[in-house]
């Protein structure tokens, strides 16, 4: 492990530099957050730090005494080389500016610089503003706004219990507008065209191959958010393919390369939770073997990207937009969206989606579902509806082989997850699992609580 100072990392030899440590914490919190390593020299080598009985408690008290608002960094002792070091980590503050010793500092490169009065005023003004969706839309453009009267006429009685004569009457009664101004949320959700807010448009493209070098199709969507959801999904359907699953039922199933319900959930998540202060656009990128949805802005620091799909917590960035989406029954607002995206993907026969953060954006990547023999008979990953290796028998042996093929392509799942993905009862899947284990085709790895099934 090698430590090099940067905009997000500061090195200190000892706790004798406690004043500088507190200043660095404040500077980090006013920027993008950062980490301080105590116990190493400027070259990142161990400096022989001695940690006494009350060392960490004394340090925490000094930080509490000399920062405003009070900072609470994580403080951990770690082994480094022959000795120990202290790691202090602080996230970007939600309540800027942060002062240390009655002075505000900002991290610039490898240094902490005092903030000027102008910088302070700008920072205070920025963080004293209401959330973006509650801020007023540009007043000088109000006369240019054409409202989606048809949409408002449809949703006002059903979801809001109103029968307004005009769009502006509806917006005022729902407190999305006053006599002079309308909110950004009102503009985004109910204007016919949102092109006056450049970064509100959604950009979608189909590329050739696995990179963005060659476009096969592309389109920008400038409609209001409820309309854009369906319009983007239509574009995706035009640029992906589906197959008919012959299941023996009166009506055959249709299965797309990507789970449309999961894509809809991911798109809604992007529209509701993106950072509208970021000048970038939501992007839908379709490649030969994957589809990704890019949403400007990173996840809230309270959410762990590694546990998305397991955690059920909603931390909305745009509370008014989420409230509107919830009222229109577009989204639930219970923090279950990521779990739903994972479950719907597995049920469609796709691999588990990947969640990542790249270049200031949150990205969900869906991998294309594999078809069996390229035909319409086989179903998904061996046939979720009973088709095996292109067959349509749907019998018990077909189900067992179907399960074996699914485990091969989606290792590590448990009985409940397999049953949900294959749309079978847990008892049926359990019987198939016992047959496969008896035949030596699969095995269970891991603990009873966290393990799963793998092909042998």
């Amino acid at each position: 492990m090698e430590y090099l100072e940067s905009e997000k990392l500061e090195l200190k030899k000892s706790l004798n530099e406690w004043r500088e440590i507190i200043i660095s914490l404040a500077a980090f919190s006013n920027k993008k957050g950062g980490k301080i390593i105590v116990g190493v020299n400027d070259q990142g080598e161990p400096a022989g730090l001695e940690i006494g009985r009350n060392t960490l408690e004394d340090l925490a008290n000094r930080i509490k005494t000399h920062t405003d608002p009070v900072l609470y960094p994580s403080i951990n002792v770690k082994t480094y080389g022959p000795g120990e070091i202290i790691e202090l980590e602080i996230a970007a503050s939600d309540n800027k500016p942060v002062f240390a010793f009655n002075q505000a500092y900002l991290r610039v490169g490898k240094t902490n610089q005092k903030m000027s009065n102008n910088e302070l005023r700008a920072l205070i003004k920025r963080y004293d503003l209401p959330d973006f969706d509650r801020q007023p839309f540009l007043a000088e453009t109000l006369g240019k706004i054409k409202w989606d009267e048809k949409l408002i006429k449809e949703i006002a009685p059903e979801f809001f219990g109103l029968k307004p004569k005009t769009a502006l009457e509806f917006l005022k009664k729902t407190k999305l507008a006053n006599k002079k101004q309308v909110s950004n949320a009102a503009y985004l959700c109910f204007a016919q065209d949102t092109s006056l807010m450049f970064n509100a448009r959604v950009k979608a493209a189909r590329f050739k191959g696995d990179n963005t070098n060659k476009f096969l199709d592309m389109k920008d969507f400038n409609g209001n958010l409820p309309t854009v959801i369906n319009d983007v999904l239509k574009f995706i359907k035009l640029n992906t393919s589906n197959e008919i699953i012959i299941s023996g039922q009166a009506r055959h199933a249709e299965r797309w390369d990507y789970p449309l319900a999961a894509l809809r959930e991911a798109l809604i998540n992007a529209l509701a939770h993106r950072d509208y202060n970021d000048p970038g656009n939501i992007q839908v990128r379709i490649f030969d073997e994957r589809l990704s949805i890019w949403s400007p802005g990173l996840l809230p620091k309270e959410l762990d990207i590694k546990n998305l799909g397991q955690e059920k917590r909603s931390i909305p960035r745009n509370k008014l937009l989420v409230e509107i989406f919830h009222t229109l029954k577009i989204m639930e607002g219970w923090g279950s969206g990521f779990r739903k995206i994972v479950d719907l993907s597995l049920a469609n026969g796709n691999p588990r989606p990947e969640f990542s953060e790249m270049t200031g954006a949150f990205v969900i990547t869906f991998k294309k579902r594999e078809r069996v023999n390229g035909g319409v008979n086989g179903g998904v990953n061996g046939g979720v509806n009973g088709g095996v290796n292109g067959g349509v028998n749907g019998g018990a042996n077909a189900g067992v082989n179907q399960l074996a093929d699914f485990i091969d392509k989606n290792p590590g799942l448990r009985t409940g997850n397999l049953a949900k993905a294959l749309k079978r009862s847990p008892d049926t899947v359990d019987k198939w699992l016992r047959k496969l284990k008896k035949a030596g085709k699969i095995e269970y790895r891991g603990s009873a609580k966290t393990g799963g099934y793998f092909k042998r």
Side-chain angles (χ1 to χ4, degrees), residues 235-242 256-258 260 286 291:
F235 179 88
I236 291 173
K237 291 173 73 172
L238 286 172
N239 285 281
T240 55
S241 57
N242 68 334
W256 289 83
D257 289 340
Y258 305 97
L260 296 181
I286 306 172
L291 183 155

Side-chain angles (χ1 to χ4, degrees), residues 155-187:
I155 59 98
E158 181 178 357
F159 299 106
F160 295 89
L162 299 172
K163 292 185 178 181
K165 294 180 181 179
T166 65
L168 284 176
E169 181 185 342
F170 164 77
L171 295 173
K172 290 175 182 178
K173 286 188 175 182
T174 54
K175 297 182 179 180
L176 294 171
N178 55 36
K179 292 181 179 180
K180 296 182 179 180
Q181 297 173 318
V182 296
S183 64
N184 283 327
Y187 178 73

Side-chain angles (χ1 to χ4, degrees), residues 429-455:
V429 171
D430 191 49
K431 290 178 184 178
W432 293 348
L433 288 169
R434 288 200 298 270
K435 287 185 179 182
L436 290 171
K437 285 192 288 186
K438 187 175 181 180
K441 294 184 178 181
I442 65 169
E443 62 182 354
Y444 188 92
R445 301 177 192 168
S447 69
K449 290 184 177 181
T450 61
Y453 289 98
F454 294 81
K455 188 174 181 180

Side-chain angles (χ1 to χ4, degrees), residues 311-433:
E311 298 175 340
K312 287 190 175 182
R313 187 181 179 193
S314 178
I315 306 176
R317 178 181 276 118
N318 306 298
K319 300 179 184 65
L320 185 53
L321 276 181
V322 170
E323 184 180 330
I324 294 172
F325 277 29
H326 181 65
T327 301
L328 296 177
K329 300 190 184 305
I330 293 174
M331 67 188 308
E332 295 177 356
W334 290 99
S336 59
F338 293 122
R339 177 72 261 172
K340 187 183 294 185
I341 289 170
V342 172
D343 289 344
L344 289 169
S345 298
L346 295 177
N348 194 62
N350 298 75
R352 184 185 181 91
E354 296 177 358
F355 303 109
S356 59
E357 292 179 323
M358 292 185 280
T359 61
F362 173 65
V363 184
I364 303 179
T365 300
F366 298 85
K367 298 296 180 64
K368 190 174 182 179
R369 176 183 60 83
E370 292 185 15
R371 298 188 181 191
V372 177
N373 297 328
V376 298
N377 295 339
V380 181
N381 288 337
V384 175
N385 292 291
V388 180
N389 297 325
V392 295
N393 294 329
N397 290 334
V400 172
N401 292 334
Q402 164 200 354
L403 177 60
D405 191 46
F406 191 84
I407 291 173
D408 183 32
K409 293 179 173 63
N410 302 274
L413 297 178
R414 296 161 58 81
T415 304
N417 293 330
L418 291 168
K420 186 180 293 186
L422 298 177
K423 295 185 178 179
R424 300 285 183 173
S425 71
D427 288 342
T428 297
V429 171
D430 191 49
K431 290 178 184 178
W432 293 348
L433 288 169

